[in-house]
Amino acid sequence: MSSYVELQVTTHYSFLRGASSPNELFATAVCLGLDALGIVDRNSVAGIVRARRAARDTGLRMIAGCRLDLDCGTSLLVWPQDRPGWSNLTRLLTIGKARGGKGHCILHWDDVADYAGGLIAALVPDLPGEATDAALERLRAIFADRAYCALSFRRRPRDQERIAALHAAAHGAGVTPLATGDVLYATPENRMLQDVMTCIREKLTIDQLGFRRERHADRHLKSPQEMARRFKRWPDAIAATAELAKRIHFTLDDLAYQYPHEADPGLDEQQTLENHVWAAVAARSDASQALVDQLKHELRLIAELRYAPYFLTVHSIVRFARSTDPVHKGDPPKIPILCQGRGSAANSAVCYVLGITSIDPIASGLLFERFVSTARQEPPDIDVDFEHERREEVIQWVYETYGWTRAALTATVICYRPRGAMREVGKALGLSEDLISALSTQLSGWGGDGPGEREIKALNLNADDYRLSLAFDLARQLLETPRHLSQHPGGFVLTRDRLDSLVPIEPAAMVDRQVIEWDKDDIDDLKFMKVDVLGLGMLGCLSRAFELLETYRPQAPRTLVDIPHDDPLTYEMIRRADTLGVFQIESRAQMSMLPRLKPKHLYDLTIQIAIVRPGPIQGDMVHPYLRRREGKEPVTYPSPKIEGILKKTLGVPLFQEQAMLVAIHGAGFTPQRADQLRRSMATFKVTGGVQHFRDELIAGMLKNGYTRDFAERTVKQIEGFGSYGFPESHAASFAILAYASSWLKCHHPAIFACALLNAQPMGFYAPAQIVIDARNHGVEVRPVCVNASRWDCTLEPREDGALALRLGMRMVKGLANTAAAELIAARGDRPFASVTAAWERSGIGAGALTRLAEADGFHALGVARRQAIWALNGLGDAPLPLFATIESDSSGEPAVALKPLTAGREVVEDYVSTNLSLRHHPLSFMRADLRQQGIVRCGDLRGMDKKQVEVAGIILVRQRPGSAKGVLFVTLEDESGIANAILWPDRYERFRAEIHGARMLAIRGRVQEEGLVIHVVANRVRDLTPMLLGLGERDFKPEVSRADIIRNPPARDPRDFPKAREPGPGSWPWRPTIPIQTRDFR
Amino acid sequence: MLAIERIVRASPADAPPEAPLVTSIADGQRLVIAAACRQARALGIAPGQPLAQAQAMVKGLDIRPADPLGDEALVARIADHAARRWTPLAAADLPDGLWLDITGAAHLLGGEARLAAAMQRRLARAGLTTRIAIADCYGAAHGLARWGKDAVAIVPSGEQAQAVASLPVAALRIGAEIEERLTRLGIERIGELLAMPRAPLARRFGMTLVARLDQATGRAAEPVAALVPSEIPAAHRRFAEPIASAEAIAHAIVGLCNALVLRLTEAGLGARRLRLAVERIDGTVQPLILGMARATRDARHLRRLLDARIETIDPGFGIDALVLSAIAAEPLAATQIGSDDAPDLAPLVDRLAGRLGPAALWRSAAVESDVPERAVRRLPALAAPRGGDPWPAHWPRPIRLLDPPEPASAVIALLPDGAPARFTWRRRIHRVVCADGPERIHGEWWKRSTEQSAVRDYFRVEDDAGARFWLYRRGDGVDEATGDLAWFVHGVFA
């Protein structure tokens, strides 16, 4: 043990202050010959768990601590001596954070005095003097012989003098002098990054920063010899560091975690769980012997690992969601919340019989101990998805049930991503706003090596510009540095004892939320229990659909479980890729895979969902799998062991678990090592976190007699999982939802469309496409109507027994929910007879009614759109009772003839006010012109394989996936359907102006038909936007939706910038235009 | 187009911009296109479009920051020019228009059509595209110039209503909101509005619309505040007999200064810069330019400044005329005489600057920098000392800084951070008796690449004679990259 221990080290979890990660600090410490580091972040212990991990990896000792910046300006370093000391520290921080609100911490001397037990403290003095003497006195009074005074060299004038005076003052007050390095970064080279962080924190450029820079030099780690040399006049201060370290017995391993108490009276947790399980089995009619055996096996394993409380907690949460019991006494019965579990342990027989998931583990052959193994020694992982809109109820119930002192959300550490890093560094270095935005736009596809030559060239920038190259360099350094803590969307930590005695809790940005300082990896590391309470839009949609089924189709299934399994009609529809709106398998990529994969069972859907992912695509697993499935390639296994693992997926590893098992059985990894591999797959998104496993894996597999080719493909796939891992258990849970939504779409298209529209925004498609799809499936869709619509879309039974879909007022842009509710309430069963009547009876003001008129909502009264608007424009906000007849009487006005709308204009107005039209597709108006140009309809491409064609349509989607190496996919829509075009990078470069500027395109190219999938490989692109603008009257201008710039390109709307209006003929001012929502994906 | 053409005008004639040119302006959080050149618009870029999107569409876009104030200033200058040249009643119609009342002025310039053509030619020479409309009322002319079909439109008297009927309603200056509402109702042209009953229109769209309609058709008058053309305050003196002697010039200057001060007083201005044009009988003009530290209209002060420069005038064969003009002037309020508390330094500064040159006079200010050379900055002699840059007091700094630092030789000091025990400077050996340091000062890495790792360790030392010095060593004594360990004396303490 060397004589010096560095006790004052700040990591980058002191956000925008510390410039080095715990890993860098410990690695440097090893090189310098230090034995232990004391981590003291500012009013936080957020980095402690990572520091512990770094310490473990390097074999050094980590001393947990914290720097408390008190409200009076005094700073103290504290290190817990023992477990009670730690609890005091976390309670202290919790108090300060509660007082300071999100991101702040307010503490006073009195608080420190209250929680001083078990803590060792050191004053961080500035200059010697009365203030320091007083602080030392106070410290001595509180901490007695546990009081120290930190002495650090600042490399400023009169340093020796200052330290000598402080040393003397400490002695005078009976406080032990303690040498510290006040470390902000690992090595001297990190100083520039630290300056930039200060700039970001102070929101200044480096030129403006001046004396706000950290002004004390030499804030890097130093070797024990160097510290001893510097403090040679005060060897006692050096010796004190080692003594202090010896007094500390606390390690994070002391944080014994306890599950919340769930057991029934008189029973222990395991017994309670078993009771629940066997009761559930008894209630089932279909319990097979295999299931019972499996349950017994699982319960034995659970007992052995003592996981029963965990399953009980998840069960309680799910039971609450499903129950109809009122939340509070006196409330009406609760409507059950649809939910489904997923995650490794979720697909167990126990979860199945308890209703946490709907996947039968026997039928799908998922084995429990694959996920909960004795080797892993950590809690199982169950995520529960709830209806998106109702997740908050569950969260609040958890807080209420487990108590505010025992439940909190985990944090997520928000780190700098390429764009943000570039933007912040650019600002700090004073680059111009234009340059910064250009740079960060270019950086979207930033890979592992960060920005460099390529971006500079792409932007025609001067690579020799010093500031610019500095900016790139520093942005690269800033990458992955934590910026702040945010709340995890739904990861709960629940404990039996006070949670704040384990970890500091802080209020979140959202009201009624509190967050701990550690993220989910930290929690995993400490083996705390975590339950993920997540929101899923599709569950909300399904819940609405089940409600509608109950109303209109009483015979139909009422829950996920009741839906008939393996319905042939549904799978037939899925195989046709007729899956618009369906969960997960609705994206372009998924759709194009469906006809090739030809799913027939639920497990096929599981594979389908998992296979169209960056992991398998980058690992080149898709084509081998398809070839084997289609019988074009023999199914072979490199060894019998691997056959056991990969049989289900025809010898091609597709799931994360399979990759792990291959590593264990193929390369001889220990389960722990495989677990590290899994962790690195999940954590390191950017650079080769998996890289250092690579050689080990390949070597191991070669040794065990596998071919290099197989080994390399496996490694490649595991690397792919790094960008997006997808375990089989998740895919299986998603497959259930995909199947359920497909079944609904197949058998109850009107109900499905209605539920989907009411659950918007969600999924891949806009309401317009959902409506078109519903109509293609024979659903009658009725327009928004003042007398028939409610806020949500509704169903109206037709005489023939079918259901018609009535669009709700939620589709009308600019109409508030409250106004619509008042209107509907005023309507009652008595329809409005006229525009004026609606205005008088509802009292919601002419403005709100005008929105409805713009959507042609008065059509049913025989009042055309413009006439209704004209009438409403003449009315005030609310009718005056006394003058009602006089005020509202527009009959005395001279009649005004308004130009009727052309058919094309009607469509445009429909789009403007509801984003869709039930009349005609915009392109149907120009079909004659298009035909003359030789353009074929999108729906007519079948059977035209290898022919040169030109198609035209409105751009629905532009997608440039990162995995597709610069290839752009464009989806066009016309009145007959959609067409998918592929642009190779050279074509994209050639036509980038058209592609980004247009709303309507004509694409000429060769048809490529592969089974049911048809693409047009583009070689020429024309911008047909003027035709779209000319729709109806040749007087439209495209409008940019305010929502998202990139998503909705060309803004030629002069209202955006009236000053720069271009004079001249034909340059018309404002026109309503079709606001088609092009969606851009990467 | 004005914004773009102004940029093109400003760029050197021999380097025509190759790339499509746009200007950008901040609109809330995002940057949008403010104006685009013809080429850019042909590529589909339009004002109001988000900049990021335009950049995605067109590579190598030449993006300049929009300068609405600069554009306005240009319009104001053109208005000024118009007021002097074409008609006395002119006004800027921001952001990019000009309003001229040519009643009674057109015939002097050959009629309306020729006047319009002349204007177009003149502005085309200045690199500006114009659209001109001439009508009986402002409303009609405004709309036609911006929305009409022709670059030059002349509306015969009394035919405004017909002329504007085909224009879009936007030509009425009614604001985007009313425009939008009208368009929604299918009312797109002014003619359609004119045909409608007025009461329902007023009820729905307010009196503004009706008033604008009347203004466009000439049924209602619209006052426009005309601009008063500006002039450069100047005084002339023409001599019947050419003068050449210094006395004669000095005498003339007295008169010129008095006359100029009179003009300045009338205009409420003070001169910041004077130009004395010396016109000689051989036809050459010799300009003499003088700057003042502060705006002034003190005749005596001006005269003194000019007197000091008489010797630089070469009268040649004689001077024909003298013109004294205040080429830069600032508003200057009248001041109370004799109520001064502090002496006014401005005249002294002007005279010293006249004698020593302006570069010889400055005021020092502190800069927040650790690098001693950069910690001081020169300000103009009369700049107010700002409170924002206090001189740092907590660290001792020498009274005199050597520029550049002078090498010290034969330095004996312990590495890595020992203070010098002995050093030689200016050939004298100094034996150090006490020292403090090091104070470590890092290079300002953002300024130059060579400063990225540069370190200086400063020491304050006192020699046996009691003299105190500020020395530094290049490098931190450990890492070679930080400096070569050479020693320098950077300053001496009092």
Side-chain angles (χ1 to χ4, degrees):
Chain A
M1 177 109 188
S2 71
S3 56
Y4 177 71
V5 174
E6 179 55 70
L7 286 162
Q8 191 179 3
V9 178
T10 309
T11 72
H12 60 198
Y13 286 89
S14 292
F15 301 115
L16 297 178
R17 226 176 264 276
S20 298
S21 67
N23 284 337
E24 291 167 308
L25 288 162
F26 276 92
T28 310
V30 168
C31 298
L32 291 172
L34 285 158
D35 294 327
L37 292 184
I39 302 296
V40 284
D41 281 316
R42 297 209 173 204
N43 297 330
S44 162
V45 292
I48 287 288
V49 184
R50 312 238 165 182
R52 178 176 91 135
R53 222 174 294 153
R56 214 164 34 197
D57 292 348
T58 51
L60 298 192
R61 177 176 171 206
M62 192 276 293
I63 296 169
C66 178
R67 173 180 170 139
L68 302 173
D69 285 341
L70 302 185
D71 208 32
C72 62
T74 312
S75 291
L76 298 177
L77 309 176
V78 293
W79 303 272
Q81 242 179 321
D82 45 26
R83 175 63 216 271
W86 172 261
S87 293
N88 275 336
L89 173 59
T90 56
R91 301 268 288 269
L92 190 60
L93 289 173
T94 303
I95 288 170
K97 281 162 191 286
R99 213 178 267 153
K102 163 97 185 140
H104 300 278
C105 184
I106 298 173
L107 286 171
H108 308 292
W109 271 106
D110 293 343
D111 303 316
V112 176
D114 289 347
Y115 291 95
L119 291 175
I120 296 180
L123 180 76
V124 183
D126 185 21
L127 296 174
E130 276 175 30
T132 301
D133 290 343
L136 285 170
E137 285 295 331
R138 201 147 187 191
L139 194 73
R140 168 76 199 175
I142 296 171
F143 289 94
D145 68 328
R146 288 172 288 122
Y148 289 80
C149 177
L151 305 177
S152 314
F153 276 95
R154 289 178 166 180
R155 294 287 185 180
R156 281 291 180 186
R158 294 180 188 144
D159 235 6
Q160 302 266 344
E161 208 178 309
R162 186 181 66 91
I163 291 182
L166 287 170
H167 190 267
H171 265 304
V175 171
T176 316
L178 179 78
T180 66
D182 197 358
V183 172
L184 277 183
Y185 38 82
T187 62
E189 289 78 44
N190 302 130
R191 187 173 46 91
M192 292 201 289
L193 182 63
Q194 208 280 328
D195 283 345
V196 166
M197 286 178 156
T198 309
C199 289
I200 298 171
R201 197 180 71 227
E202 300 282 341
K203 298 188 172 63
L204 290 171
T205 70
I206 186 78
D207 304 280
Q208 298 163 337
L209 195 61
F211 292 156
R212 275 159 288 207
R213 262 171 98 195
E214 282 298 338
R215 302 202 62 204
H216 307 143
D218 277 6
R219 306 291 290 272
H220 53 91
L221 278 171
K222 282 162 280 277
S223 68
Q225 297 76 18
E226 172 67 7
M227 289 304 283
R229 192 186 65 76
R230 290 194 188 188
F231 280 91
K232 62 174 178 279
R233 289 173 63 187
W234 305 283
D236 57 320
I238 295 287
T241 62
E243 282 155 29
L244 193 155
K246 264 190 218 133
R247 295 174 75 175
I248 289 172
H249 307 294
F250 172 75
T251 71
L252 286 184
D253 299 324
D254 299 345
L255 298 184
Y257 171 77
Q258 292 166 303
Y259 288 108
H261 192 75
E262 296 276 358
D264 290 343
L267 299 174
D268 68 11
E269 268 91 359
Q270 182 70 22
Q271 290 164 329
T272 312
L273 178 67
E274 287 183 16
N275 285 353
H276 281 304
V277 167
W278 298 126
V281 170
R284 299 184 80 95
S285 51
D286 59 344
S288 63
Q289 187 54 42
L291 182 71
V292 172
D293 291 346
Q294 173 73 11
L295 282 171
K296 281 183 181 154
H297 173 70
E298 285 180 13
L299 286 170
R300 206 162 43 237
L301 209 58
I302 289 170
E304 190 184 321
L305 295 166
R306 271 170 283 165
Y307 286 156
Y310 179 75
F311 282 87
L312 284 173
T313 302
V314 175
H315 181 49
S316 309
I317 294 173
V318 169
R319 203 167 41 181
F320 159 74
R322 299 258 165 82
S323 74
T324 51
D325 300 339
V327 181
H328 299 287
K329 272 193 187 126
D331 284 358
K334 186 171 126 300
I335 300 164
I337 304 169
L338 207 55
C339 62
Q340 180 172 248
R342 68 189 153 90
S344 56
N347 300 335
S348 58
V350 170
C351 285
Y352 177 63
V353 296
L354 290 180
I356 295 169
T357 66
S358 335
I359 299 167
D360 183 346
I362 308 294
S364 51
L366 294 164
L367 286 179
F368 186 57
E369 58 263 58
R370 274 199 199 157
F371 316 118
V372 184
S373 66
T374 42
R376 258 176 70 188
Q377 270 301 344
E378 67 181 56
D381 170 24
I382 304 179
D383 301 346
V384 191
D385 291 323
F386 295 87
E387 284 177 48
H388 185 69
E389 303 90 354
R390 303 192 56 193
R391 189 173 67 110
E392 187 61 30
E393 291 175 37
V394 180
I395 290 178
Q396 290 307 326
W397 178 84
V398 168
Y399 277 132
E400 278 175 33
T401 309
Y402 293 93
W404 286 87
T405 53
R406 287 166 179 78
L409 289 171
T410 56
T412 40
V413 182
I414 307 293
C415 295
Y416 277 102
R417 312 292 307 139
R419 278 188 194 210
M422 196 66 232
R423 181 164 287 283
E424 296 283 13
V425 170
K427 260 192 222 158
L429 291 184
L431 302 184
S432 76
E433 186 63 38
D434 287 356
L435 184 56
I436 295 171
S437 66
L439 282 175
S440 48
T441 317
Q442 276 288 322
L443 287 185
S444 47
W446 218 7
D449 358 311
E453 298 290 310
R454 201 172 58 82
E455 280 77 17
I456 295 183
K457 257 190 213 128
L459 290 166
N460 296 324
L461 298 174
N462 176 9
D464 299 330
D465 184 301
Y466 179 54
R467 282 283 171 109
L468 198 60
S469 55
L470 262 186
F472 276 118
D473 195 33
L474 288 164
R476 230 171 323 203
Q477 291 181 37
L478 189 63
L479 209 58
E480 297 301 304
T481 300
R483 194 179 57 184
H484 59 89
L485 289 181
S486 177
Q487 67 177 50
H488 189 273
F492 265 102
V493 178
L494 303 171
T495 55
R496 181 177 299 173
D497 298 330
R498 289 178 68 106
L499 184 56
D500 62 3
S501 64
L502 287 172
V503 52
I505 304 174
E506 64 177 48
M510 282 169 80
V511 285
D512 289 348
R513 294 281 169 92
Q514 48 181 14
V515 183
I516 62 168
E517 278 195 344
W518 292 332
D519 76 355
K520 84 183 186 342
D521 293 341
D522 298 340
I523 293 303
D524 271 6
D525 210 44
L526 294 172
K527 304 186 170 56
F528 282 19
M529 183 187 87
K530 179 175 122 272
V531 187
D532 274 356
V533 177
L534 301 169
L536 196 60
M538 182 46 82
L539 280 170
C541 171
L542 288 176
S543 166
R544 287 164 195 269
F546 285 130
E547 261 174 67
L548 291 168
L549 275 177
E550 196 173 340
T551 314
Y552 294 101
R553 297 286 184 261
Q555 316 304 322
R558 303 266 289 277
T559 65
L560 281 177
V561 191
D562 301 340
I563 291 177
H565 295 284
D566 292 342
D567 177 56
L569 278 175
T570 305
Y571 280 106
E572 200 188 307
M573 182 191 84
I574 293 174
R575 285 195 293 275
R576 281 201 309 271
D578 182 6
T579 52
L580 188 148
V582 162
F583 187 61
Q584 283 283 323
I585 51 172
E586 62 167 348
S587 74
R588 288 306 323 152
Q590 292 277 5
M591 275 193 186
S592 63
M593 190 64 72
L594 286 170
R596 303 182 61 184
L597 207 76
K598 301 190 185 66
K600 290 186 190 65
H601 305 286
L602 192 61
Y603 194 72
D604 298 336
L605 286 181
T606 309
I607 288 177
Q608 162 82 24
I609 286 170
I611 202 170
V612 187
R613 294 263 147 198
I617 291 172
Q618 279 167 16
D620 194 23
M621 297 292 166
V622 179
H623 292 287
Y625 178 79
L626 283 176
R627 276 199 303 273
R628 288 176 176 209
R629 196 177 162 94
E630 288 163 2
K632 291 179 189 164
E633 185 181 299
V635 181
T636 55
Y637 302 97
S639 78
K641 252 190 205 161
I642 298 283
E643 178 171 358
I645 302 166
L646 300 181
K647 196 166 174 52
K648 285 194 296 189
T649 53
L650 308 180
V652 181
L654 294 177
F655 302 114
Q656 208 178 19
E657 297 93 331
Q658 291 179 321
M660 275 176 73
L661 288 169
V662 168
I664 292 172
H665 296 290
F669 271 41
T670 59
Q672 283 90 340
R673 189 77 182 135
D675 193 47
Q676 281 173 15
L677 175 67
R678 177 192 67 92
R679 201 182 288 285
S680 70
M681 284 194 268
T683 329
F684 295 91
K685 291 191 192 89
V686 185
T687 39
V690 189
Q691 203 63 37
H692 62 275
F693 287 101
R694 187 193 165 91
D695 301 332
E696 200 180 331
L697 257 170
I698 293 184
M701 292 182 80
L702 289 179
K703 203 177 80 194
N704 288 348
Y706 297 97
T707 64
R708 176 166 281 275
D709 176 57
F710 181 79
E712 277 180 355
R713 266 196 300 147
T714 311
V715 169
K716 216 168 143 195
Q717 198 209 6
I718 290 173
E719 279 170 5
F721 283 133
S723 1
Y724 215 110
F726 217 71
E728 178 175 6
S729 45
H730 279 222
S733 298
F734 278 176
I736 295 237
L737 296 183
Y739 174 72
S741 47
S742 301
W743 181 86
L744 270 170
K745 183 180 159 78
C746 181
H747 293 277
H748 303 279
I751 286 176
F752 180 68
C754 183
L756 195 56
L757 285 174
N758 290 340
Q760 289 296 314
M762 63 167 281
F764 213 66
Y765 297 94
Q769 277 85 58
I770 298 170
V771 166
I772 290 174
D773 187 61
R775 294 173 107 192
N776 289 343
H777 287 79
V779 177
E780 184 197 343
V781 183
R782 295 174 178 170
V784 177
C785 173
V786 66
N787 276 338
S789 288
R790 303 190 61 83
W791 172 252
D792 276 339
C793 299
T794 47
L795 294 168
E796 295 175 358
R798 300 200 316 179
E799 284 180 11
D800 64 359
L803 293 170
L805 173 61
R806 170 70 70 181
L807 295 182
M809 294 193 195
R810 65 183 297 141
M811 311 297 291
V812 179
K813 257 189 236 169
L815 181 63
N817 194 344
T818 46
E822 281 176 47
L823 181 73
I824 292 160
R827 185 174 73 201
D829 327 324
R830 210 152 49 91
F832 301 117
S834 70
V835 177
T836 323
W839 176 70
E840 280 171 358
R841 278 171 54 195
S842 71
I844 62 169
L849 285 170
T850 306
R851 298 287 91 77
L852 198 57
E854 282 162 2
D856 207 10
F858 291 94
H859 190 80
L861 306 178
V863 185
R865 193 172 340 228
R866 275 183 183 159
Q867 292 297 348
I869 297 173
W870 178 258
L872 285 163
N873 274 350
L875 301 171
D877 262 349
L880 294 170
L882 186 59
F883 301 104
T885 45
I886 309 165
E887 270 294 314
S888 62
D889 186 14
S890 330
S891 56
E893 279 191 342
V896 168
L898 296 168
K899 269 186 292 186
L901 292 153
T902 64
R905 190 64 173 272
E906 291 274 14
V907 171
V908 174
E909 292 282 353
D910 281 344
Y911 269 94
V912 167
S913 56
T914 59
N915 271 330
L916 57 88
S917 176
L918 299 176
R919 290 169 220 270
H920 297 281
H921 193 275
L923 257 76
S924 58
F925 292 92
M926 22 186 136
R927 183 47 64 192
D929 281 357
L930 295 173
R931 199 174 294 122
Q932 219 161 26
Q933 294 181 25
I935 290 173
V936 302
R937 301 197 312 166
C938 295
D940 297 342
L941 291 178
R942 184 155 308 286
M944 297 175 94
D945 195 17
K946 301 208 168 56
K947 277 190 190 151
Q948 283 287 336
V949 297
E950 187 163 22
V951 290
I954 291 162
I955 308 175
L956 284 190
V957 181
R958 281 180 290 251
Q959 193 176 9
R960 209 174 166 211
S963 53
K965 299 187 182 70
V967 179
L968 182 92
F969 298 94
V970 181
T971 305
L972 299 180
E973 182 195 72
D974 71 6
E975 74 277 23
S976 68
I978 56 173
N980 296 299
I982 298 175
L983 277 95
W984 296 108
D986 67 315
R987 295 291 91 186
Y988 170 66
E989 285 305 322
R990 167 84 178 70
F991 296 109
R992 88 193 248 142
E994 284 85 351
I995 287 157
H996 284 284
R999 330 221 81 193
M1000 176 173 165
L1001 283 180
I1003 296 182
R1004 171 177 278 287
R1006 201 162 47 85
V1007 179
Q1008 211 176 56
E1009 202 175 339
E1010 276 180 63
L1012 287 166
V1013 185
I1014 303 174
H1015 280 110
V1016 177
V1017 183
N1019 57 36
R1020 196 190 67 178
V1021 175
R1022 286 191 293 147
D1023 180 358
L1024 292 188
T1025 311
M1027 268 183 119
L1028 190 62
L1029 308 189
L1031 175 56
E1033 318 165 341
R1034 200 165 288 286
D1035 61 353
F1036 304 114
K1037 283 194 150 280
E1039 181 205 39
V1040 71
S1041 307
R1042 301 286 182 279
D1044 186 333
I1045 315 157
I1046 299 298
R1047 201 176 286 171
N1048 292 286
R1052 290 185 197 154
D1053 187 337
R1055 283 177 306 167
D1056 282 354
F1057 205 83
K1059 276 190 176 179
R1061 184 177 286 162
E1062 182 61 24
S1067 173
W1068 285 86
W1070 187 83
R1071 279 298 174 283
T1073 59
I1074 298 189
I1076 287 133
Q1077 300 197 329
T1078 301
R1079 298 190 172 193
D1080 284 2
F1081 296 95
R1082 289 196 183 274
Chain B
M1 284 313 282
L2 186 85
I4 294 292
E5 286 173 341
R6 194 166 71 81
I7 292 170
V8 175
R9 264 158 51 99
S11 53
D14 52 324
E18 291 280 317
L21 179 67
V22 297
T23 63
S24 68
I25 196 161
D27 175 21
Q29 283 295 308
R30 57 181 195 169
L31 283 174
V32 298
I33 304 278
C37 73
R38 250 177 253 284
Q39 200 191 343
R41 278 178 302 156
L43 289 165
I45 293 177
Q49 193 175 28
L51 182 66
Q53 199 232 318
Q55 281 176 305
M57 280 169 62
V58 179
K59 269 191 169 179
L61 213 50
D62 184 359
I63 305 157
R64 315 282 180 93
D67 177 15
L69 291 180
D71 294 342
E72 284 181 15
L74 176 62
V75 174
R77 276 213 306 286
I78 300 170
D80 206 64
H81 178 84
R84 275 187 254 149
R85 181 159 183 144
W86 294 313
T87 167
L89 289 172
D93 183 11
L94 297 175
D96 57 358
L98 220 56
W99 176 88
L100 306 175
D101 187 346
I102 54 167
T103 315
H107 74 275
L108 297 173
L109 295 143
E112 289 174 350
R114 293 185 64 174
L115 173 59
M119 286 178 183
Q120 233 173 2
R121 272 200 308 278
R122 172 71 191 88
L123 290 166
R125 270 210 309 281
L128 298 171
T129 312
T130 41
R131 296 175 53 84
I132 298 173
I134 300 175
D136 281 2
C137 58
Y138 177 55
H142 177 97
L144 279 166
R146 284 161 182 79
W147 300 98
K149 286 195 296 291
D150 309 312
V152 176
I154 299 173
V155 181
S157 195
E159 291 179 19
Q160 304 86 331
Q162 293 92 303
V164 298
S166 65
L167 297 184
V169 290
L172 285 176
R173 297 170 289 158
I174 44 178
E177 194 244 319
I178 295 183
E179 268 172 47
E180 182 182 330
R181 284 172 56 202
L182 285 172
T183 316
R184 271 268 160 100
L185 289 167
I187 303 163
E188 285 160 349
R189 286 159 204 277
I190 295 177
E192 293 163 23
L193 274 179
L194 289 173
M196 291 176 82
R198 291 164 70 92
L201 276 183
R203 179 188 174 113
R204 283 165 178 82
F205 300 101
M207 286 311 292
T208 319
L209 176 66
V210 179
R212 288 297 191 198
L213 270 179
D214 285 348
Q215 285 169 355
T217 50
R219 267 184 285 184
E222 185 176 359
V224 175
L227 154 154
V228 181
S230 64
E231 267 177 44
I232 295 171
H236 306 248
R237 181 84 199 271
R238 202 157 279 285
F239 308 107
E241 281 294 313
I243 59 165
S245 69
E247 294 76 27
I249 296 174
H251 183 71
I253 282 175
V254 175
L256 283 171
C257 285
N258 289 337
L260 181 66
V261 165
L262 208 60
R263 301 270 143 75
L264 287 170
T265 316
E266 282 168 3
L269 296 170
R272 275 305 296 273
R273 196 182 263 210
L274 287 181
R275 181 178 190 268
L276 180 68
V278 180
E279 296 177 11
R280 300 198 308 201
I281 50 173
D282 58 6
T284 56
V285 179
Q286 209 185 335
L288 195 70
I289 309 242
L290 281 177
M292 267 75 70
R294 183 184 295 160
T296 178
R297 52 169 180 262
D298 179 347
R300 243 179 82 220
H301 180 49
L302 295 182
R303 204 191 74 222
R304 271 205 209 127
L305 292 176
L306 286 166
D307 279 352
R309 302 287 288 274
I310 288 176
E311 60 199 51
T312 65
I313 297 175
D314 172 13
F317 294 108
I319 296 167
D320 233 356
L322 288 172
V323 182
L324 180 65
S325 43
I327 50 177
E330 285 171 2
L332 181 66
T335 47
Q336 192 81 32
I337 301 168
S339 68
D340 290 2
D341 306 326
D344 184 9
L345 286 177
L348 176 67
V349 167
D350 286 344
R351 294 181 67 191
L352 287 174
R355 215 166 278 171
L356 306 169
L361 291 174
W362 75 87
R363 180 191 284 273
S364 299
V367 177
E368 289 195 2
S369 171
D370 282 338
V371 179
E373 299 89 312
R374 297 204 181 112
V376 178
R377 162 173 70 126
R378 290 181 180 190
L379 291 180
L382 280 187
R386 282 186 305 159
D389 304 316
W391 294 89
H394 42 292
W395 283 317
R397 288 287 182 260
I399 194 82
R400 187 163 165 231
L401 212 56
L402 299 173
D403 180 22
E406 296 176 9
S409 54
V411 183
I412 296 176
L414 270 175
L415 282 175
D417 56 5
R422 210 183 78 160
F423 65 96
T424 305
W425 175 51
R426 291 189 176 170
R427 296 198 208 136
R428 279 190 52 193
I429 296 170
H430 299 266
R431 230 171 284 279
V432 176
V433 292
C434 54
D436 175 51
E439 177 181 7
R440 179 152 296 177
I441 291 177
H442 292 279
E444 294 183 328
W445 52 266
W446 58 94
K447 294 236 163 76
R448 289 180 306 180
S449 59
T450 48
E451 288 187 46
Q452 275 194 16
S453 51
V455 167
R456 288 177 183 173
D457 275 353
Y458 278 86
F459 293 88
R460 206 154 50 102
V461 301
E462 188 174 319
D463 70 4
D464 47 6
R468 289 189 285 161
F469 303 91
W470 208 33
L471 280 89
Y472 73 84
R473 185 193 56 215
R474 279 204 298 235
D476 64 2
V478 177
D479 183 1
E480 276 177 30
T482 57
D484 58 5
L485 306 183
W487 285 86
F488 294 87
V489 176
H490 203 171
V492 287
F493 292 88

